[in-house]
Amino acid sequence: MYGRGVSDAKGLIAAMICAADGLLQEGISDVGLLFVVGEETESDGAWKARELGLRCDYIIDGEPTDNELVVGHKGMVYAVLSCDGVTAHSAYPEQGVSAIDKLVSLLAGLQTLEFPSDATLGETTINVGLIRGGHAPNVIPDLAEAEILFRTVAESAAYVDILKEWASGRANLVIRATSEPQEMASIPGLPTKVVGYGTDVPALRALGRPLLVGPGSILVAHTAEERVSKAELAAGVRLYQDLVRRLRPGDHGS
């Protein structure tokens, strides 16, 4: 099946619903479904879910993991960097100050900053995902900003300190959101891996001990070729059901 969102995360949502329906038919009713919004930005749906008073032994967070249990993932620092300038006619640039030139110059040095690395999670990654600025080609721009996402491998405070020092006196820095690197539970006999993205686990682990798994590949998520096979979705249904059976009281995960 092809389509935006089919791997991340509509397919695995369908797999969870089918898994829960099958478990109910078996007479297993101590399982619930929770679907939230905002995971790709600030996890606002997951943080709001904490206010519902839900408590469980385990929570299985769905992400496209190739049906392998994820035992660790990176954190996140979401920052907005903006530069101010002075407008002028483009024929007389000496009369103004280009905010875009200032921002571009600053961003050019971003990759030279030294960020933490980790033996398990690997290197910090950086994505300048959005750039905005200016009014027209014939106007010196007085404002420019960039939205930057850092995939972190250490406490977010360390990154915030580095960025504040880097931007000080040259740009305005706003930290929109942060989350910390995570460790999740494993189950004997099931394959595991570590991934480079972040999830709702930081917010949802207050509800129960987290596991992270689902059908689909993150490598095709957010692309024009996003896809997932029906066989993998069916395997995801069976995996979710097996996890619930194994993790119910009386069974033993690790």
Side-chain angles (χ1 to χ4, degrees):
M1 296 193 293
Y2 286 79
R4 289 300 295 267
V6 70
S7 177
D8 184 17
K10 296 174 184 175
L12 63 88
I13 288 174
M16 286 183 167
I17 293 172
C18 292
D21 182 62
L23 290 168
L24 286 173
Q25 294 181 37
E26 293 179 24
I28 297 176
S29 59
D30 53 347
V31 60
L33 296 170
L34 173 66
F35 301 120
V36 297
V37 298
E39 185 268 340
E40 296 289 354
T41 52
E42 300 175 30
S43 292
D44 40 341
W47 287 108
K48 191 68 176 178
R50 290 163 61 104
E51 301 175 13
L52 300 177
L54 304 173
R55 293 295 181 269
C56 52
D57 293 325
Y58 290 89
I59 181 161
I60 303 174
D61 191 0
E63 286 285 345
T65 72
D66 305 296
N67 283 328
E68 297 180 358
L69 281 174
V70 171
V71 293
H73 74 60
K74 294 182 179 182
M76 173 268 293
V77 171
Y78 172 23
V80 177
L81 191 71
S82 61
C83 292
D84 297 322
V86 177
T87 57
H89 195 290
S90 63
Y92 301 91
E94 70 279 3
Q95 298 297 314
V97 177
S98 172
I100 289 179
D101 286 351
K102 291 168 64 176
L103 180 66
V104 168
S105 177
L106 194 56
L107 290 176
L110 185 58
Q111 297 290 344
T112 67
L113 297 179
E114 293 188 9
F115 292 107
S117 61
D118 181 82
T120 300
L121 295 174
E123 301 293 329
T124 299
T125 61
I126 308 167
N127 182 53
V128 181
L130 288 170
I131 296 179
R132 290 181 291 266
H135 306 283
N138 61 342
V139 179
I140 302 298
D142 62 342
L143 179 65
E145 67 175 19
E147 296 189 25
I148 312 169
L149 194 66
F150 301 82
R151 301 292 185 178
T152 62
V153 301
E155 291 187 1
S156 58
Y159 293 85
V160 173
D161 289 343
I162 293 171
L163 293 171
K164 284 183 176 179
E165 182 177 356
W166 169 66
S168 179
R170 299 194 292 170
N172 304 307
L173 177 70
V174 175
I175 304 299
R176 286 273 183 89
T178 63
S179 65
E180 307 304 326
Q182 299 292 308
E183 293 183 2
M184 279 71 67
S186 62
I187 304 296
L190 295 182
T192 62
K193 64 180 175 182
V194 172
V195 298
Y197 52 83
T199 71
D200 279 332
V201 165
L204 295 178
R205 68 166 56 247
L207 279 61
R209 189 179 180 188
L211 294 91
L212 181 64
V213 67
S217 170
I218 196 66
L219 298 181
V220 298
H222 306 179
T223 73
E225 293 298 314
E226 187 163 352
R227 62 192 181 274
V228 64
S229 72
K230 288 182 279 187
E232 189 172 5
L233 290 176
V237 173
R238 294 190 296 270
L239 175 60
Y240 285 139
Q241 291 175 334
D242 181 56
L243 286 173
V244 170
R245 297 186 192 104
R246 295 180 66 172
L247 295 174
R248 297 181 72 215
D251 293 321
H252 303 284
S254 68

